[in-house]
Amino acid sequence: AQSVTQLGSHVSVSEGALVLLRCNYSSSVPPYLFWYVQYPNQGLQLLLKYTSAATLVKGINGFEAEFKKSETSFHLTKPSAHMSDAAEYFCAVSGYNFNKFYFGSGTKLNVKP
Amino acid sequence: DAGVIQSPRHEVTEMGQEVTLRCKPISGHDYLFWYRQTMMRGLELLIYFNNNVPIDDSGMPEDRFSAKMPNASFSTLKIQPSEPRDSAVYFCASSSQLTYEQYFGPGTRLTVT
């Protein structure tokens, strides 16, 4: 079975500080992993994906994530937060059926000036 | 490409009325997904189609919900009769089996009074 756990429903950082959003997954097969961002009143937008190539994945808007099999983690990071990064972030995993995603409960990122 | 298109963007209806939500996937995509997002339950997969055929409808909450995909460029999600607890944002997403990335539409915000 596949599942995703996002630790921390709310994360608050200061502008310019490191952003770290945590995602742990459970999968009975080698997973594909994704991070999406949702701005208020909008749909989800793909930030980045891991599909068994390089373990460090770079995405849009300066975000990156590292796949760590030993820790079953796929944490999202950005070296320096910007006010425009304030949004909700979702981690997702796919399993046997690569087209069906299992989403985490989301983490709302607040960026303080 | 115009992306995934959903209509209407907002729908307000009275309890007991029929509601039909519409989705046009990205051209060339062979998977289509319907999700529901609420504060309490987060993002839930309702049903998904592959090549216009429903594959997994285990997330459809009850018989009041039905979904169709008559052709590759159109899908509907119908609720009949609607109830206040159906109030949510409904998202449509599409993907290609070549890349697995799901692209989301802007959503339909449904309010049932």
Side-chain angles (χ1 to χ4, degrees):
Chain A
Q2 287 73 40
S3 67
V4 170
T5 301
Q6 292 185 240
L7 293 176
S9 59
H10 290 80
V11 170
S12 186
V13 301
S14 297
E15 191 172 20
L18 171 71
V19 175
L20 171 61
L21 304 182
R22 299 178 186 274
C23 172
N24 288 89
Y25 70 91
S26 171
S27 178
S28 52
V29 297
Y32 283 9
L33 293 155
F34 306 82
W35 274 100
Y36 281 81
V37 60
Q38 184 180 30
Y39 298 102
N41 300 314
Q42 295 187 25
L44 279 70
Q45 178 183 357
L46 181 67
L47 269 180
L48 50 81
K49 67 177 182 180
Y50 166 78
T51 56
S52 73
T55 57
L56 182 62
V57 181
K58 294 186 183 299
I60 62 172
N61 301 338
F63 284 93
E64 62 182 35
E66 185 172 8
F67 171 69
K68 292 186 177 181
K69 183 178 179 180
S70 60
E71 299 177 7
T72 61
S73 69
F74 191 57
H75 301 331
L76 182 70
T77 60
K78 182 174 180 178
S80 178
H82 191 273
M83 296 297 290
S84 61
D85 295 327
E88 188 160 18
Y89 292 80
F90 293 89
C91 182
V93 64
S94 64
Y96 286 107
N97 180 346
F98 293 119
N99 293 281
K100 182 177 180 179
F101 289 6
Y102 298 83
F103 280 90
S105 55
T107 298
K108 288 188 176 178
L109 176 65
N110 177 47
V111 182
K112 300 175 290 185
Chain B
D1 197 316
V4 176
I5 299 172
Q6 292 187 246
S7 65
R9 292 294 310 278
H10 301 273
E11 177 80 37
V12 180
T13 190
E14 293 184 347
M15 182 174 61
Q17 296 298 306
E18 177 180 296
V19 175
T20 299
L21 312 182
R22 298 172 176 80
C23 175
K24 176 179 170 57
I26 292 173
S27 177
H29 281 187
D30 43 12
Y31 281 83
L32 184 139
F33 306 82
W34 282 101
Y35 290 89
R36 178 173 68 177
Q37 186 178 40
T38 61
M39 290 289 290
M40 292 298 295
R41 301 176 68 90
L43 194 63
E44 302 173 275
L45 176 64
L46 300 178
I47 185 172
Y48 74 94
F49 297 81
N50 177 218
N51 292 324
N52 313 337
V53 176
I55 303 300
D56 183 351
D57 66 353
S58 59
M60 296 287 260
E62 46 197 279
D63 292 345
R64 298 185 296 106
F65 286 69
S66 62
K68 294 181 179 179
M69 192 166 186
N71 57 62
S73 59
F74 184 66
S75 177
T76 60
L77 178 67
K78 185 177 294 186
I79 308 173
Q80 166 63 20
S82 59
E83 296 183 2
R85 59 192 169 124
D86 302 329
S87 297
V89 181
Y90 291 81
F91 289 104
C92 176
S94 69
S95 71
S96 163
Q97 66 175 356
L98 297 177
T99 62
Y100 310 117
E101 302 162 7
Q102 291 187 19
Y103 293 86
F104 281 72
T108 296
R109 182 174 296 276
L110 173 65
T111 303
V112 183
T113 61

